[in-house]
Amino acid sequence: MSWAEVGQRWKLRLEQVDWYLCFGLLFLLLVLLGLSMGAWKLNLIVNDADALPIEAVAIRGERARTSDEEIQVALQDLMQRSFFSADVNQVQNALEALPWVYQASVRREWPAKLKVYLVEQQVVAHWNGDAWLNIHGQVFDAPQRADIGPLPLLAGPEGQSKVVLTAYRQVSELLKINGFKLDSLSLSPRHAWHGSLDNGIKLELGREDKMARIQRFINVYPTLAKQSKPVAKVDLRYDTGLAVGWENAQKESQ
């Protein structure tokens, strides 16, 4: 085949090419390449803590037991990220891990601020000695504080905190309207209730009908109070009656 014939064949092939389609595909390829480069550069900027740093964290909500220093320590690693790359869920989790924080909500505010709203634990009782109980009956651990006033002592098996708190509120209200104050209430592993009043009287309530038994104690107490010896313990685990332990008798038996 001569060079003239080869050239003629290539000329025919080039004349058959759809140049509009070729240029269109080339243009599309250049556009996609440009978009990819732009996205890559934007990603670098968005994740660059120096280019888009978090400049401030605004804290809202009433705080009595969570200091600015605790918040700074909790967020110090997360604050090294950029405004867009910072994970607000991680910020929220870090704040909710603080001992006295019950709930935290976090959102971004353009151009470089995080807005945080904190809700602290509302403590209502001591739980099993060294833990706390909030108003929802949830157990949480936090350091002891001198600024918290006297609280009732509640105790019970694991997973029974809400049950014990509900029972405390019911029993305490009934005693309160009759002039008594309930200092402690506990539920044993065998689901028997034990209470203690602020005057030192211990109440054995058993496993059933605790409200009826509390009412029986209220009804009979005026008679007990007239006795010459102080009441130390009242066992109400009977269907109709009760047993009384006297303070002097208990001291003599010790």
Side-chain angles (χ1 to χ4, degrees):
M1 183 181 296
S2 65
W3 285 105
E5 291 175 339
V6 172
Q8 187 64 28
R9 288 189 177 184
W10 275 104
K11 183 178 179 181
L12 290 174
R13 289 180 181 178
L14 291 175
E15 287 176 351
Q16 294 173 357
V17 172
D18 188 344
W19 292 104
Y20 288 103
L21 177 60
C22 291
F23 283 118
L25 291 174
L26 180 60
F27 178 75
L28 177 61
L29 180 61
L30 292 173
V31 170
L32 292 176
L33 182 60
L35 290 175
S36 299
M37 291 294 294
W40 177 68
K41 290 183 178 180
L42 179 61
N43 182 65
L44 290 179
I45 295 174
V46 164
N47 290 282
D48 187 352
D50 293 327
L52 291 171
I54 300 172
E55 296 179 354
V57 177
I59 308 294
R60 298 288 184 270
E62 295 183 8
R63 284 187 292 138
R65 303 183 179 97
T66 305
S67 66
D68 292 340
E69 290 74 18
E70 288 178 298
I71 294 174
Q72 290 172 359
V73 171
L75 300 183
Q76 61 182 357
D77 292 334
L78 298 173
M79 293 294 289
Q80 304 303 316
R81 302 178 184 179
S82 75
F83 175 72
F84 287 105
S85 66
D87 190 332
V88 293
N89 291 323
Q90 288 185 348
V91 174
Q92 176 180 323
N93 293 337
L95 292 171
E96 290 182 349
L98 293 174
W100 286 101
V101 173
Y102 171 67
Q103 192 175 50
S105 60
V106 183
R107 65 181 180 87
R108 296 183 179 91
E109 184 175 87
W110 181 262
K113 180 188 290 186
L114 293 182
K115 295 194 73 173
V116 176
Y117 187 83
L118 292 182
V119 178
E120 285 196 325
Q121 297 279 9
Q122 298 182 56
V123 61
V124 295
H126 296 281
W127 177 254
N128 283 342
D130 55 357
W132 303 92
L133 211 59
N134 67 19
I135 59 173
H136 308 291
Q138 298 169 331
V139 181
F140 68 97
D141 294 314
Q144 297 297 319
R145 294 183 63 98
D147 61 341
I148 298 178
L151 293 174
L153 307 175
L154 305 184
E158 184 177 355
Q160 295 296 309
S161 57
K162 293 183 179 180
V163 173
V164 175
L165 180 59
T166 299
Y168 169 80
R169 287 168 171 165
Q170 295 171 343
V171 173
S172 179
E173 185 63 25
L174 179 57
L175 287 167
K176 182 179 178 180
I177 61 178
N178 287 277
F180 300 95
K181 181 181 178 182
L182 184 62
D183 264 4
S184 68
L185 184 67
S186 64
L187 180 64
S188 74
R190 300 185 65 181
H191 295 88
W193 293 97
H194 311 270
S196 177
L197 305 182
D198 66 337
N199 59 10
I201 297 178
K202 309 294 183 183
L203 301 178
E204 296 290 342
L205 302 173
R207 302 168 67 177
E208 300 175 353
D209 301 325
K210 59 182 176 297
M211 298 302 291
R213 291 171 177 177
I214 287 292
Q215 187 60 57
R216 189 191 311 160
F217 164 76
I218 293 170
N219 294 339
V220 78
Y221 184 77
T223 302
L224 299 178
K226 294 177 182 178
Q227 306 302 312
S228 58
K229 295 178 290 186
V231 178
K233 180 179 179 181
V234 179
D235 191 340
L236 297 151
R237 295 173 295 178
Y238 303 92
D239 293 335
T240 56
L242 53 84
V244 180
W246 306 99
E247 186 173 316
N248 292 341
Q250 289 196 354
K251 288 182 178 179
E252 291 173 359
S253 64
Q254 292 178 355

